[in-house]
Amino acid sequence: MKTFEMKTVIHFGDNALDRLKVIPYKRVLIITDPFVVQSHMIDLITAPLDSAGIQYDIFQDVVPDAPVGKIAEGVKKFLQFQPEAIVAVGGGSAIDSSKAIREFALKINNYGNVGLIAIPTTSGTGSEVTSFAVVNDTDAKVKYPLVSDRLTADEAILDAELVKSVPPAITADTGMDVFTHALESYVSTDHNEFSSALAEKSIEICGVFLLRAYLDGSDMHARQKMHVASCLAGLSFNTAGLGITHSMAHQLGAVFHIPHGRANAMLLPHIVEFNANINKHSRSQKEYLPAVKRYANIAHILGLSNYNKVMSVRSLVNWIQFMQKEMNIPLTIQEIGTITPDAYFAAVDKMAEAALADACTANNPRVPTKEDIVKIYTKLWSF
């Protein structure tokens, strides 16, 4: 038996932030990052709370990759203020931090339910609807995924007003994160009809609107569409899981601080080739791996279909690399320019072991060996 559940109530479209005027809480802790406060974006959150007479305090010390030390500071703030709900405002780091802070604080204090309202300010992680969070041990350079239904937000508010000022580079990175979430969940060994439908729609939106949002940040229609695509992809991978693109990207982020969406985008063409096992002998194969048909379906959705499945998969790989080039995402580690070959290759063996042990690896459509992972990391250095 399989089960598909959507716990989070989603508010979206024009004036979605008006939901904050009628939330069933009188005392909330806003968890966000310094930029949201300094840019006065926070006013879009506090104004409706003020108009409704809702008490609030703000914890604004969130930093990228949710380090354990900052989580501890947030727990202390939570226990001091004792809110009825948390309002998480920001990208994946703010929302993941909020999930972890609520979870750990409730374990310490063990009082009642505390609501969680997630308001993303980037169109990328899908964290507003998932039961996952990633926390970072900066000393050990290890990212730990937390997985529990208790982490899932009660409500998500998708308002494009919060993403219209996102710069092009971050629009590109987060947009490719959306695409990777959708594609990996679509070929996951744990996919189902519900997750597949959500992934297909997310990919269709990315194909039409991602480049538009990158080229013109004031295109609010494209912004809103990508905001929804991110949420759809989150709903998909929340039930179907992901794959080794994410397992390997987690290590690149932990060791070399490559932004998560960018690491995914750089790895994705290599992972598609690995999962499909496409090579110079592929045309003579009588049977293909199951992922080949599913990748070919995605090529069709993107308008890339060719006269056979092998060419369709190659077209998909080419499309991903085309998007990287159009949005100035490096295709190789060497292109980044800040990582030396000695440092990179010294880390490959340990990164490969960590990627194999990563929770995302279990649902990859082709079971990798450590040698496979090492080979992909090696190819990623340069063409």
Side-chain angles (χ1 to χ4, degrees), residues 180-206:
T180 306
H181 287 153
L183 186 62
E184 285 214 293
S185 67
Y186 190 73
V187 300
S188 158
T189 55
D190 211 19
H191 71 262
N192 58 61
E193 288 85 349
F194 297 96
S195 67
S196 296
L198 293 160
E200 286 176 357
K201 188 62 183 179
S202 179
I203 286 166
E204 178 190 321
I205 292 171
C206 288

mmCIF file with all atom_site columns, all heavy atoms in Angstrom, residues 180-206:
data_model
loop_
_atom_site.group_PDB
_atom_site.id
_atom_site.type_symbol
_atom_site.label_atom_id
_atom_site.label_alt_id
_atom_site.label_comp_id
_atom_site.label_asym_id
_atom_site.label_entity_id
_atom_site.label_seq_id
_atom_site.pdbx_PDB_ins_code
_atom_site.Cartn_x
_atom_site.Cartn_y
_atom_site.Cartn_z
_atom_site.occupancy
_atom_site.B_iso_or_equiv
_atom_site.pdbx_formal_charge
_atom_site.auth_seq_id
_atom_site.auth_comp_id
_atom_site.auth_asym_id
_atom_site.auth_atom_id
_atom_site.pdbx_PDB_model_num
ATOM 1   N N   . THR A 1 180 ? 15.619 20.345 -10.726 1.00 0.00 ? 180 THR A N   1
ATOM 2   C CA  . THR A 1 180 ? 16.267 19.125 -10.238 1.00 0.00 ? 180 THR A CA  1
ATOM 3   C C   . THR A 1 180 ? 15.363 18.366 -9.285  1.00 0.00 ? 180 THR A C   1
ATOM 4   O O   . THR A 1 180 ? 15.261 17.130 -9.353  1.00 0.00 ? 180 THR A O   1
ATOM 5   C CB  . THR A 1 180 ? 17.599 19.470 -9.539  1.00 0.00 ? 180 THR A CB  1
ATOM 6   O OG1 . THR A 1 180 ? 18.410 20.234 -10.430 1.00 0.00 ? 180 THR A OG1 1
ATOM 7   C CG2 . THR A 1 180 ? 18.347 18.214 -9.136  1.00 0.00 ? 180 THR A CG2 1
ATOM 8   N N   . HIS A 1 181 ? 14.686 19.074 -8.388  1.00 0.00 ? 181 HIS A N   1
ATOM 9   C CA  . HIS A 1 181 ? 13.727 18.420 -7.486  1.00 0.00 ? 181 HIS A CA  1
ATOM 10  C C   . HIS A 1 181 ? 12.678 17.650 -8.283  1.00 0.00 ? 181 HIS A C   1
ATOM 11  O O   . HIS A 1 181 ? 12.374 16.489 -7.984  1.00 0.00 ? 181 HIS A O   1
ATOM 12  C CB  . HIS A 1 181 ? 13.010 19.461 -6.613  1.00 0.00 ? 181 HIS A CB  1
ATOM 13  C CG  . HIS A 1 181 ? 13.860 20.043 -5.550  1.00 0.00 ? 181 HIS A CG  1
ATOM 14  N ND1 . HIS A 1 181 ? 13.644 21.314 -5.032  1.00 0.00 ? 181 HIS A ND1 1
ATOM 15  C CD2 . HIS A 1 181 ? 14.940 19.561 -4.876  1.00 0.00 ? 181 HIS A CD2 1
ATOM 16  C CE1 . HIS A 1 181 ? 14.531 21.566 -4.094  1.00 0.00 ? 181 HIS A CE1 1
ATOM 17  N NE2 . HIS A 1 181 ? 15.333 20.518 -3.988  1.00 0.00 ? 181 HIS A NE2 1
ATOM 18  N N   . ALA A 1 182 ? 12.127 18.313 -9.285  1.00 0.00 ? 182 ALA A N   1
ATOM 19  C CA  . ALA A 1 182 ? 11.056 17.693 -10.071 1.00 0.00 ? 182 ALA A CA  1
ATOM 20  C C   . ALA A 1 182 ? 11.582 16.490 -10.857 1.00 0.00 ? 182 ALA A C   1
ATOM 21  O O   . ALA A 1 182 ? 10.951 15.422 -10.875 1.00 0.00 ? 182 ALA A O   1
ATOM 22  C CB  . ALA A 1 182 ? 10.432 18.721 -11.006 1.00 0.00 ? 182 ALA A CB  1
ATOM 23  N N   . LEU A 1 183 ? 12.735 16.657 -11.506 1.00 0.00 ? 183 LEU A N   1
ATOM 24  C CA  . LEU A 1 183 ? 13.261 15.573 -12.340 1.00 0.00 ? 183 LEU A CA  1
ATOM 25  C C   . LEU A 1 183 ? 13.689 14.376 -11.495 1.00 0.00 ? 183 LEU A C   1
ATOM 26  O O   . LEU A 1 183 ? 13.403 13.220 -11.849 1.00 0.00 ? 183 LEU A O   1
ATOM 27  C CB  . LEU A 1 183 ? 14.439 16.088 -13.169 1.00 0.00 ? 183 LEU A CB  1
ATOM 28  C CG  . LEU A 1 183 ? 15.002 15.100 -14.204 1.00 0.00 ? 183 LEU A CG  1
ATOM 29  C CD1 . LEU A 1 183 ? 13.941 14.742 -15.241 1.00 0.00 ? 183 LEU A CD1 1
ATOM 30  C CD2 . LEU A 1 183 ? 16.231 15.683 -14.901 1.00 0.00 ? 183 LEU A CD2 1
ATOM 31  N N   . GLU A 1 184 ? 14.370 14.639 -10.379 1.00 0.00 ? 184 GLU A N   1
ATOM 32  C CA  . GLU A 1 184 ? 14.807 13.512 -9.544  1.00 0.00 ? 184 GLU A CA  1
ATOM 33  C C   . GLU A 1 184 ? 13.627 12.770 -8.927  1.00 0.00 ? 184 GLU A C   1
ATOM 34  O O   . GLU A 1 184 ? 13.645 11.539 -8.849  1.00 0.00 ? 184 GLU A O   1
ATOM 35  C CB  . GLU A 1 184 ? 15.757 14.007 -8.445  1.00 0.00 ? 184 GLU A CB  1
ATOM 36  C CG  . GLU A 1 184 ? 17.138 14.350 -8.946  1.00 0.00 ? 184 GLU A CG  1
ATOM 37  C CD  . GLU A 1 184 ? 18.234 14.036 -7.946  1.00 0.00 ? 184 GLU A CD  1
ATOM 38  O OE1 . GLU A 1 184 ? 18.280 14.702 -6.900  1.00 0.00 ? 184 GLU A OE1 1
ATOM 39  O OE2 . GLU A 1 184 ? 19.040 13.132 -8.224  1.00 0.00 ? 184 GLU A OE2 1
ATOM 40  N N   . SER A 1 185 ? 12.618 13.499 -8.501  1.00 0.00 ? 185 SER A N   1
ATOM 41  C CA  . SER A 1 185 ? 11.458 12.806 -7.929  1.00 0.00 ? 185 SER A CA  1
ATOM 42  C C   . SER A 1 185 ? 10.706 12.023 -9.003  1.00 0.00 ? 185 SER A C   1
ATOM 43  O O   . SER A 1 185 ? 10.130 10.969 -8.729  1.00 0.00 ? 185 SER A O   1
ATOM 44  C CB  . SER A 1 185 ? 10.519 13.805 -7.243  1.00 0.00 ? 185 SER A CB  1
ATOM 45  O OG  . SER A 1 185 ? 9.911  14.679 -8.165  1.00 0.00 ? 185 SER A OG  1
ATOM 46  N N   . TYR A 1 186 ? 10.751 12.509 -10.249 1.00 0.00 ? 186 TYR A N   1
ATOM 47  C CA  . TYR A 1 186 ? 10.040 11.849 -11.357 1.00 0.00 ? 186 TYR A CA  1
ATOM 48  C C   . TYR A 1 186 ? 10.661 10.495 -11.697 1.00 0.00 ? 186 TYR A C   1
ATOM 49  O O   . TYR A 1 186 ? 9.953  9.543  -12.038 1.00 0.00 ? 186 TYR A O   1
ATOM 50  C CB  . TYR A 1 186 ? 10.053 12.755 -12.589 1.00 0.00 ? 186 TYR A CB  1
ATOM 51  C CG  . TYR A 1 186 ? 9.154  12.273 -13.708 1.00 0.00 ? 186 TYR A CG  1
ATOM 52  C CD1 . TYR A 1 186 ? 7.766  12.368 -13.612 1.00 0.00 ? 186 TYR A CD1 1
ATOM 53  C CD2 . TYR A 1 186 ? 9.695  11.720 -14.861 1.00 0.00 ? 186 TYR A CD2 1
ATOM 54  C CE1 . TYR A 1 186 ? 6.938  11.931 -14.628 1.00 0.00 ? 186 TYR A CE1 1
ATOM 55  C CE2 . TYR A 1 186 ? 8.877  11.282 -15.893 1.00 0.00 ? 186 TYR A CE2 1
ATOM 56  C CZ  . TYR A 1 186 ? 7.502  11.386 -15.775 1.00 0.00 ? 186 TYR A CZ  1
ATOM 57  O OH  . TYR A 1 186 ? 6.680  10.947 -16.783 1.00 0.00 ? 186 TYR A OH  1
ATOM 58  N N   . VAL A 1 187 ? 11.994 10.387 -11.597 1.00 0.00 ? 187 VAL A N   1
ATOM 59  C CA  . VAL A 1 187 ? 12.653 9.117  -11.923 1.00 0.00 ? 187 VAL A CA  1
ATOM 60  C C   . VAL A 1 187 ? 12.981 8.297  -10.672 1.00 0.00 ? 187 VAL A C   1
ATOM 61  O O   . VAL A 1 187 ? 13.529 7.199  -10.776 1.00 0.00 ? 187 VAL A O   1
ATOM 62  C CB  . VAL A 1 187 ? 13.947 9.336  -12.752 1.00 0.00 ? 187 VAL A CB  1
ATOM 63  C CG1 . VAL A 1 187 ? 13.635 10.033 -14.061 1.00 0.00 ? 187 VAL A CG1 1
ATOM 64  C CG2 . VAL A 1 187 ? 14.999 10.106 -11.962 1.00 0.00 ? 187 VAL A CG2 1
ATOM 65  N N   . SER A 1 188 ? 12.648 8.815  -9.491  1.00 0.00 ? 188 SER A N   1
ATOM 66  C CA  . SER A 1 188 ? 12.907 8.109  -8.241  1.00 0.00 ? 188 SER A CA  1
ATOM 67  C C   . SER A 1 188 ? 12.261 6.722  -8.245  1.00 0.00 ? 188 SER A C   1
ATOM 68  O O   . SER A 1 188 ? 11.203 6.506  -8.834  1.00 0.00 ? 188 SER A O   1
ATOM 69  C CB  . SER A 1 188 ? 12.349 8.933  -7.074  1.00 0.00 ? 188 SER A CB  1
ATOM 70  O OG  . SER A 1 188 ? 12.119 8.130  -5.938  1.00 0.00 ? 188 SER A OG  1
ATOM 71  N N   . THR A 1 189 ? 12.902 5.790  -7.558  1.00 0.00 ? 189 THR A N   1
ATOM 72  C CA  . THR A 1 189 ? 12.327 4.440  -7.447  1.00 0.00 ? 189 THR A CA  1
ATOM 73  C C   . THR A 1 189 ? 11.036 4.442  -6.647  1.00 0.00 ? 189 THR A C   1
ATOM 74  O O   . THR A 1 189 ? 10.280 3.466  -6.684  1.00 0.00 ? 189 THR A O   1
ATOM 75  C CB  . THR A 1 189 ? 13.324 3.494  -6.760  1.00 0.00 ? 189 THR A CB  1
ATOM 76  O OG1 . THR A 1 189 ? 13.707 4.051  -5.486  1.00 0.00 ? 189 THR A OG1 1
ATOM 77  C CG2 . THR A 1 189 ? 14.567 3.295  -7.616  1.00 0.00 ? 189 THR A CG2 1
ATOM 78  N N   . ASP A 1 190 ? 10.761 5.526  -5.936  1.00 0.00 ? 190 ASP A N   1
ATOM 79  C CA  . ASP A 1 190 ? 9.563  5.597  -5.099  1.00 0.00 ? 190 ASP A CA  1
ATOM 80  C C   . ASP A 1 190 ? 8.509  6.536  -5.681  1.00 0.00 ? 190 ASP A C   1
ATOM 81  O O   . ASP A 1 190 ? 7.610  6.978  -4.965  1.00 0.00 ? 190 ASP A O   1
ATOM 82  C CB  . ASP A 1 190 ? 9.953  6.055  -3.690  1.00 0.00 ? 190 ASP A CB  1
ATOM 83  C CG  . ASP A 1 190 ? 9.030  5.473  -2.619  1.00 0.00 ? 190 ASP A CG  1
ATOM 84  O OD1 . ASP A 1 190 ? 8.347  4.466  -2.914  1.00 0.00 ? 190 ASP A OD1 1
ATOM 85  O OD2 . ASP A 1 190 ? 8.992  6.017  -1.501  1.00 0.00 ? 190 ASP A OD2 1
ATOM 86  N N   . HIS A 1 191 ? 8.597  6.832  -6.983  1.00 0.00 ? 191 HIS A N   1
ATOM 87  C CA  . HIS A 1 191 ? 7.601  7.713  -7.597  1.00 0.00 ? 191 HIS A CA  1
ATOM 88  C C   . HIS A 1 191 ? 6.235  7.026  -7.657  1.00 0.00 ? 191 HIS A C   1
ATOM 89  O O   . HIS A 1 191 ? 6.151  5.789  -7.603  1.00 0.00 ? 191 HIS A O   1
ATOM 90  C CB  . HIS A 1 191 ? 8.039  8.132  -9.011  1.00 0.00 ? 191 HIS A CB  1
ATOM 91  C CG  . HIS A 1 191 ? 7.970  7.014  -10.013 1.00 0.00 ? 191 HIS A CG  1
ATOM 92  N ND1 . HIS A 1 191 ? 9.079  6.274  -10.379 1.00 0.00 ? 191 HIS A ND1 1
ATOM 93  C CD2 . HIS A 1 191 ? 6.935  6.501  -10.728 1.00 0.00 ? 191 HIS A CD2 1
ATOM 94  C CE1 . HIS A 1 191 ? 8.722  5.365  -11.271 1.00 0.00 ? 191 HIS A CE1 1
ATOM 95  N NE2 . HIS A 1 191 ? 7.427  5.475  -11.483 1.00 0.00 ? 191 HIS A NE2 1
ATOM 96  N N   . ASN A 1 192 ? 5.208  7.835  -7.736  1.00 0.00 ? 192 ASN A N   1
ATOM 97  C CA  . ASN A 1 192 ? 3.851  7.302  -7.918  1.00 0.00 ? 192 ASN A CA  1
ATOM 98  C C   . ASN A 1 192 ? 3.079  8.265  -8.812  1.00 0.00 ? 192 ASN A C   1
ATOM 99  O O   . ASN A 1 192 ? 3.610  9.289  -9.247  1.00 0.00 ? 192 ASN A O   1
ATOM 100 C CB  . ASN A 1 192 ? 3.160  7.091  -6.567  1.00 0.00 ? 192 ASN A CB  1
ATOM 101 C CG  . ASN A 1 192 ? 3.087  8.371  -5.755  1.00 0.00 ? 192 ASN A CG  1
ATOM 102 O OD1 . ASN A 1 192 ? 2.487  9.357  -6.174  1.00 0.00 ? 192 ASN A OD1 1
ATOM 103 N ND2 . ASN A 1 192 ? 3.706  8.371  -4.569  1.00 0.00 ? 192 ASN A ND2 1
ATOM 104 N N   . GLU A 1 193 ? 1.835  7.934  -9.101  1.00 0.00 ? 193 GLU A N   1
ATOM 105 C CA  . GLU A 1 193 ? 1.052  8.748  -10.035 1.00 0.00 ? 193 GLU A CA  1
ATOM 106 C C   . GLU A 1 193 ? 0.870  10.183 -9.545  1.00 0.00 ? 193 GLU A C   1
ATOM 107 O O   . GLU A 1 193 ? 0.885  11.128 -10.338 1.00 0.00 ? 193 GLU A O   1
ATOM 108 C CB  . GLU A 1 193 ? -0.323 8.108  -10.281 1.00 0.00 ? 193 GLU A CB  1
ATOM 109 C CG  . GLU A 1 193 ? -0.285 6.844  -11.118 1.00 0.00 ? 193 GLU A CG  1
ATOM 110 C CD  . GLU A 1 193 ? -0.001 5.584  -10.302 1.00 0.00 ? 193 GLU A CD  1
ATOM 111 O OE1 . GLU A 1 193 ? 0.373  5.707  -9.111  1.00 0.00 ? 193 GLU A OE1 1
ATOM 112 O OE2 . GLU A 1 193 ? -0.136 4.486  -10.861 1.00 0.00 ? 193 GLU A OE2 1
ATOM 113 N N   . PHE A 1 194 ? 0.713  10.357 -8.237  1.00 0.00 ? 194 PHE A N   1
ATOM 114 C CA  . PHE A 1 194 ? 0.490  11.695 -7.692  1.00 0.00 ? 194 PHE A CA  1
ATOM 115 C C   . PHE A 1 194 ? 1.775  12.526 -7.762  1.00 0.00 ? 194 PHE A C   1
ATOM 116 O O   . PHE A 1 194 ? 1.768  13.668 -8.215  1.00 0.00 ? 194 PHE A O   1
ATOM 117 C CB  . PHE A 1 194 ? -0.005 11.598 -6.241  1.00 0.00 ? 194 PHE A CB  1
ATOM 118 C CG  . PHE A 1 194 ? -1.330 10.917 -6.109  1.00 0.00 ? 194 PHE A CG  1
ATOM 119 C CD1 . PHE A 1 194 ? -1.409 9.566  -5.796  1.00 0.00 ? 194 PHE A CD1 1
ATOM 120 C CD2 . PHE A 1 194 ? -2.514 11.619 -6.311  1.00 0.00 ? 194 PHE A CD2 1
ATOM 121 C CE1 . PHE A 1 194 ? -2.635 8.927  -5.694  1.00 0.00 ? 194 PHE A CE1 1
ATOM 122 C CE2 . PHE A 1 194 ? -3.747 10.996 -6.204  1.00 0.00 ? 194 PHE A CE2 1
ATOM 123 C CZ  . PHE A 1 194 ? -3.807 9.639  -5.896  1.00 0.00 ? 194 PHE A CZ  1
ATOM 124 N N   . SER A 1 195 ? 2.880  11.928 -7.307  1.00 0.00 ? 195 SER A N   1
ATOM 125 C CA  . SER A 1 195 ? 4.149  12.661 -7.351  1.00 0.00 ? 195 SER A CA  1
ATOM 126 C C   . SER A 1 195 ? 4.557  12.962 -8.788  1.00 0.00 ? 195 SER A C   1
ATOM 127 O O   . SER A 1 195 ? 5.082  14.038 -9.086  1.00 0.00 ? 195 SER A O   1
ATOM 128 C CB  . SER A 1 195 ? 5.253  11.869 -6.635  1.00 0.00 ? 195 SER A CB  1
ATOM 129 O OG  . SER A 1 195 ? 5.571  10.678 -7.332  1.00 0.00 ? 195 SER A OG  1
ATOM 130 N N   . SER A 1 196 ? 4.289  12.024 -9.687  1.00 0.00 ? 196 SER A N   1
ATOM 131 C CA  . SER A 1 196 ? 4.666  12.222 -11.092 1.00 0.00 ? 196 SER A CA  1
ATOM 132 C C   . SER A 1 196 ? 3.888  13.373 -11.724 1.00 0.00 ? 196 SER A C   1
ATOM 133 O O   . SER A 1 196 ? 4.451  14.169 -12.486 1.00 0.00 ? 196 SER A O   1
ATOM 134 C CB  . SER A 1 196 ? 4.435  10.935 -11.890 1.00 0.00 ? 196 SER A CB  1
ATOM 135 O OG  . SER A 1 196 ? 5.276  9.902  -11.435 1.00 0.00 ? 196 SER A OG  1
ATOM 136 N N   . ALA A 1 197 ? 2.610  13.460 -11.415 1.00 0.00 ? 197 ALA A N   1
ATOM 137 C CA  . ALA A 1 197 ? 1.787  14.540 -11.975 1.00 0.00 ? 197 ALA A CA  1
ATOM 138 C C   . ALA A 1 197 ? 2.289  15.902 -11.501 1.00 0.00 ? 197 ALA A C   1
ATOM 139 O O   . ALA A 1 197 ? 2.388  16.862 -12.288 1.00 0.00 ? 197 ALA A O   1
ATOM 140 C CB  . ALA A 1 197 ? 0.323  14.343 -11.577 1.00 0.00 ? 197 ALA A CB  1
ATOM 141 N N   . LEU A 1 198 ? 2.631  15.991 -10.223 1.00 0.00 ? 198 LEU A N   1
ATOM 142 C CA  . LEU A 1 198 ? 3.160  17.239 -9.672  1.00 0.00 ? 198 LEU A CA  1
ATOM 143 C C   . LEU A 1 198 ? 4.501  17.587 -10.314 1.00 0.00 ? 198 LEU A C   1
ATOM 144 O O   . LEU A 1 198 ? 4.755  18.744 -10.668 1.00 0.00 ? 198 LEU A O   1
ATOM 145 C CB  . LEU A 1 198 ? 3.320  17.106 -8.157  1.00 0.00 ? 198 LEU A CB  1
ATOM 146 C CG  . LEU A 1 198 ? 2.013  16.982 -7.352  1.00 0.00 ? 198 LEU A CG  1
ATOM 147 C CD1 . LEU A 1 198 ? 2.285  16.385 -5.982  1.00 0.00 ? 198 LEU A CD1 1
ATOM 148 C CD2 . LEU A 1 198 ? 1.334  18.339 -7.222  1.00 0.00 ? 198 LEU A CD2 1
ATOM 149 N N   . ALA A 1 199 ? 5.368  16.586 -10.479 1.00 0.00 ? 199 ALA A N   1
ATOM 150 C CA  . ALA A 1 199 ? 6.685  16.821 -11.085 1.00 0.00 ? 199 ALA A CA  1
ATOM 151 C C   . ALA A 1 199 ? 6.545  17.268 -12.538 1.00 0.00 ? 199 ALA A C   1
ATOM 152 O O   . ALA A 1 199 ? 7.240  18.190 -12.983 1.00 0.00 ? 199 ALA A O   1
ATOM 153 C CB  . ALA A 1 199 ? 7.529  15.551 -10.999 1.00 0.00 ? 199 ALA A CB  1
ATOM 154 N N   . GLU A 1 200 ? 5.663  16.616 -13.282 1.00 0.00 ? 200 GLU A N   1
ATOM 155 C CA  . GLU A 1 200 ? 5.477  16.976 -14.691 1.00 0.00 ? 200 GLU A CA  1
ATOM 156 C C   . GLU A 1 200 ? 5.033  18.428 -14.836 1.00 0.00 ? 200 GLU A C   1
ATOM 157 O O   . GLU A 1 200 ? 5.533  19.161 -15.700 1.00 0.00 ? 200 GLU A O   1
ATOM 158 C CB  . GLU A 1 200 ? 4.451  16.045 -15.343 1.00 0.00 ? 200 GLU A CB  1
ATOM 159 C CG  . GLU A 1 200 ? 4.974  14.642 -15.617 1.00 0.00 ? 200 GLU A CG  1
ATOM 160 C CD  . GLU A 1 200 ? 3.899  13.722 -16.179 1.00 0.00 ? 200 GLU A CD  1
ATOM 161 O OE1 . GLU A 1 200 ? 2.719  14.169 -16.291 1.00 0.00 ? 200 GLU A OE1 1
ATOM 162 O OE2 . GLU A 1 200 ? 4.216  12.566 -16.495 1.00 0.00 ? 200 GLU A OE2 1
ATOM 163 N N   . LYS A 1 201 ? 4.104  18.851 -14.001 1.00 0.00 ? 201 LYS A N   1
ATOM 164 C CA  . LYS A 1 201 ? 3.624  20.236 -14.094 1.00 0.00 ? 201 LYS A CA  1
ATOM 165 C C   . LYS A 1 201 ? 4.726  21.220 -13.709 1.00 0.00 ? 201 LYS A C   1
ATOM 166 O O   . LYS A 1 201 ? 4.889  22.268 -14.346 1.00 0.00 ? 201 LYS A O   1
ATOM 167 C CB  . LYS A 1 201 ? 2.401  20.443 -13.193 1.00 0.00 ? 201 LYS A CB  1
ATOM 168 C CG  . LYS A 1 201 ? 1.724  21.790 -13.386 1.00 0.00 ? 201 LYS A CG  1
ATOM 169 C CD  . LYS A 1 201 ? 1.197  21.946 -14.818 1.00 0.00 ? 201 LYS A CD  1
ATOM 170 C CE  . LYS A 1 201 ? 0.575  23.297 -15.067 1.00 0.00 ? 201 LYS A CE  1
ATOM 171 N NZ  . LYS A 1 201 ? 0.102  23.434 -16.459 1.00 0.00 ? 201 LYS A NZ  1
ATOM 172 N N   . SER A 1 202 ? 5.497  20.881 -12.684 1.00 0.00 ? 202 SER A N   1
ATOM 173 C CA  . SER A 1 202 ? 6.598  21.743 -12.274 1.00 0.00 ? 202 SER A CA  1
ATOM 174 C C   . SER A 1 202 ? 7.616  21.897 -13.409 1.00 0.00 ? 202 SER A C   1
ATOM 175 O O   . SER A 1 202 ? 8.074  23.006 -13.708 1.00 0.00 ? 202 SER A O   1
ATOM 176 C CB  . SER A 1 202 ? 7.285  21.170 -11.029 1.00 0.00 ? 202 SER A CB  1
ATOM 177 O OG  . SER A 1 202 ? 8.371  21.975 -10.635 1.00 0.00 ? 202 SER A OG  1
ATOM 178 N N   . ILE A 1 203 ? 7.938  20.798 -14.068 1.00 0.00 ? 203 ILE A N   1
ATOM 179 C CA  . ILE A 1 203 ? 8.909  20.826 -15.175 1.00 0.00 ? 203 ILE A CA  1
ATOM 180 C C   . ILE A 1 203 ? 8.359  21.621 -16.355 1.00 0.00 ? 203 ILE A C   1
ATOM 181 O O   . ILE A 1 203 ? 9.089  22.398 -16.989 1.00 0.00 ? 203 ILE A O   1
ATOM 182 C CB  . ILE A 1 203 ? 9.284  19.387 -15.578 1.00 0.00 ? 203 ILE A CB  1
ATOM 183 C CG1 . ILE A 1 203 ? 10.207 18.783 -14.512 1.00 0.00 ? 203 ILE A CG1 1
ATOM 184 C CG2 . ILE A 1 203 ? 9.933  19.346 -16.963 1.00 0.00 ? 203 ILE A CG2 1
ATOM 185 C CD1 . ILE A 1 203 ? 10.378 17.289 -14.603 1.00 0.00 ? 203 ILE A CD1 1
ATOM 186 N N   . GLU A 1 204 ? 7.093  21.435 -16.640 1.00 0.00 ? 204 GLU A N   1
ATOM 187 C CA  . GLU A 1 204 ? 6.461  22.205 -17.731 1.00 0.00 ? 204 GLU A CA  1
ATOM 188 C C   . GLU A 1 204 ? 6.574  23.710 -17.463 1.00 0.00 ? 204 GLU A C   1
ATOM 189 O O   . GLU A 1 204 ? 6.917  24.493 -18.358 1.00 0.00 ? 204 GLU A O   1
ATOM 190 C CB  . GLU A 1 204 ? 4.989  21.799 -17.862 1.00 0.00 ? 204 GLU A CB  1
ATOM 191 C CG  . GLU A 1 204 ? 4.225  22.556 -18.931 1.00 0.00 ? 204 GLU A CG  1
ATOM 192 C CD  . GLU A 1 204 ? 2.728  22.288 -18.860 1.00 0.00 ? 204 GLU A CD  1
ATOM 193 O OE1 . GLU A 1 204 ? 2.334  21.129 -18.602 1.00 0.00 ? 204 GLU A OE1 1
ATOM 194 O OE2 . GLU A 1 204 ? 1.943  23.236 -19.046 1.00 0.00 ? 204 GLU A OE2 1
ATOM 195 N N   . ILE A 1 205 ? 6.316  24.119 -16.225 1.00 0.00 ? 205 ILE A N   1
ATOM 196 C CA  . ILE A 1 205 ? 6.415  25.540 -15.860 1.00 0.00 ? 205 ILE A CA  1
ATOM 197 C C   . ILE A 1 205 ? 7.857  26.020 -15.989 1.00 0.00 ? 205 ILE A C   1
ATOM 198 O O   . ILE A 1 205 ? 8.122  27.100 -16.529 1.00 0.00 ? 205 ILE A O   1
ATOM 199 C CB  . ILE A 1 205 ? 5.886  25.766 -14.426 1.00 0.00 ? 205 ILE A CB  1
ATOM 200 C CG1 . ILE A 1 205 ? 4.368  25.526 -14.377 1.00 0.00 ? 205 ILE A CG1 1
ATOM 201 C CG2 . ILE A 1 205 ? 6.199  27.185 -13.956 1.00 0.00 ? 205 ILE A CG2 1
ATOM 202 C CD1 . ILE A 1 205 ? 3.787  25.518 -12.967 1.00 0.00 ? 205 ILE A CD1 1
ATOM 203 N N   . CYS A 1 206 ? 8.811  25.222 -15.507 1.00 0.00 ? 206 CYS A N   1
ATOM 204 C CA  . CYS A 1 206 ? 10.230 25.602 -15.619 1.00 0.00 ? 206 CYS A CA  1
ATOM 205 C C   . CYS A 1 206 ? 10.624 25.815 -17.078 1.00 0.00 ? 206 CYS A C   1
ATOM 206 O O   . CYS A 1 206 ? 11.354 26.765 -17.406 1.00 0.00 ? 206 CYS A O   1
ATOM 207 C CB  . CYS A 1 206 ? 11.127 24.530 -15.002 1.00 0.00 ? 206 CYS A CB  1
ATOM 208 S SG  . CYS A 1 206 ? 11.078 24.451 -13.202 1.00 0.00 ? 206 CYS A SG  1
#
